[in-house]
Amino acid sequence: MTAASDRPAPVLAIDIGGTKIAAAEIRGRQLIGRWQTATPRTGKGDDLVAAIAGLAPKHWVGAVAVATTGIVRDGALTALNPQTLPIEDGYPLAQAIESVLGVPPLVINDAQAAAWAEFSVGAGRFYRNFAFVTVSTGIGCGLVVDGRLLTGATGLAGHLGHTMAEPDGVVCGCGRRGCLETIASGTALARRGGERFGRPVAAPELFETAAQGEGSAKEVIAVAVEALVNAFADLTAAVDVDCFAVGGGVGLAGGFIEALQARSLLLPRIFQRPIVAARAGADAGLLGAAMLVDGNFHQK
């Protein structure tokens, strides 16, 4: 029998997204309980923290880890794309959470947290240089290089969705023009599909229509696939990625990863890398944040 003192210490993990906030008690690599609520979109960080306090178990004693969309620097949160999560620039998220939970939390970008989970227990566990890319409402990315998670001095490392894909493209929520996110995200697919069909088209419907052979839908998806594959090649040239794991509602849509794989074979061989489905699951951000508490990550 395992002594109580030998059991992994519990971590309260929190994942802040643009539409929902999830929380879970995690011991080791297991979710013991999970709770969820809608993300307040008032633009006020204090409302986010109030929602988190409503999810957290009463009188929590243990570590707290937070994964969030946006840029995290010294525990403060800034939205790179305010359309994804409206919040004040530099909102002191760590300080505010400590004030309500009584525990100083680790705070990290959600794609970075998910990348660590994928690297540790998912698709990246056989690689030293690894990228997790989530293609969903937006596009997020986390990088592990030489076995270490990259966050960057300002928390910007891995924001692949805001690299340029179309110089004369539409203005992105981040303020640049033609970002990858304006071409290949679920939001972009819905916008481009709507422009083609002259009516609102959600990304799932676009994929269904393409599967039925509709040419315009297939073309919209093909443009997104090409932009993503070229972004993967750029990232490979920069940090020599060994493998890309793709997740998210769009990334895991039927046939999408296969389309990425097929398009990547048209690249010069030196830029070709395995592209696989993410395996850590929908709660990879929660799991990765909790795993980073245990001496694997140090905020500067």
Side-chain angles (χ1 to χ4, degrees):
M1 176 178 276
T2 302
S5 60
D6 294 334
R7 297 175 62 196
V11 177
L12 175 62
I14 299 159
D15 191 351
I16 304 171
T19 59
K20 70 179 184 299
I21 300 173
E25 179 182 342
I26 296 179
R27 288 182 180 267
R29 297 174 179 178
Q30 293 188 333
L31 274 71
I32 305 301
R34 187 186 185 284
W35 313 275
Q36 183 174 306
T37 190
T39 301
R41 296 188 59 83
T42 62
K44 297 180 180 180
D46 287 351
D47 291 338
L48 284 180
V49 174
I52 290 169
L55 285 178
K58 301 299 181 185
H59 311 298
W60 176 260
V61 287
V64 176
V66 180
T68 178
T69 185
I71 299 174
V72 178
R73 182 178 187 180
D74 298 326
L77 176 61
T78 296
L80 182 55
N81 184 352
Q83 295 172 7
T84 302
L85 180 67
I87 195 170
E88 305 96 328
D89 283 352
Y91 177 77
L93 183 62
Q95 179 182 332
I97 290 176
E98 181 177 3
S99 70
V100 297
L101 298 184
V103 180
L106 177 149
V107 183
I108 188 169
N109 170 266
D110 54 356
Q112 294 170 350
W116 189 252
E118 284 291 341
F119 175 72
S120 301
V121 300
R125 64 190 183 280
F126 302 116
Y127 302 95
R128 292 287 293 172
N129 297 334
F130 171 75
F132 164 73
V133 180
T134 176
V135 187
S136 188
T137 303
I139 295 175
C141 176
L143 292 171
V144 177
V145 177
D146 289 333
R148 295 180 62 84
L149 180 66
L150 295 187
T151 59
T154 64
L156 189 60
H159 278 80
L160 187 67
H162 297 285
T163 56
M164 185 177 292
E166 189 178 39
D168 297 323
V170 301
V171 176
C172 179
C174 75
R176 298 185 74 199
R177 185 178 291 275
C179 288
L180 179 64
E181 198 165 277
T182 69
I183 297 174
S185 67
T187 302
L189 288 173
R191 188 193 76 250
R192 290 184 166 223
E195 291 169 354
R196 288 296 187 95
F197 291 101
R199 61 177 177 81
V201 178
E205 181 185 352
L206 190 69
F207 278 95
E208 292 174 7
T209 305
Q212 295 167 4
E214 209 290 323
S216 293
K218 292 170 68 175
E219 184 176 340
V220 170
I221 294 170
V223 169
V225 166
E226 182 172 7
L228 278 163
V229 168
N230 283 327
F232 291 1
D234 289 344
L235 195 54
T236 297
V239 295
D240 205 1
V241 175
D242 295 326
C243 175
F244 290 88
V246 178
V250 172
L252 297 177
F256 195 72
I257 288 178
E258 290 81 2
L260 292 171
Q261 293 167 337
R263 179 61 183 82
S264 73
L265 294 178
L266 301 179
L267 294 170
R269 184 177 297 274
I270 196 169
F271 299 109
Q272 296 177 19
R273 294 293 187 275
I275 300 172
V276 301
R279 298 175 185 171
D283 288 322
L286 290 170
L287 179 60
M291 293 173 69
L292 285 165
V293 168
D294 189 22
N296 294 306
F297 174 72
H298 300 281
Q299 291 173 295
K300 297 180 178 179

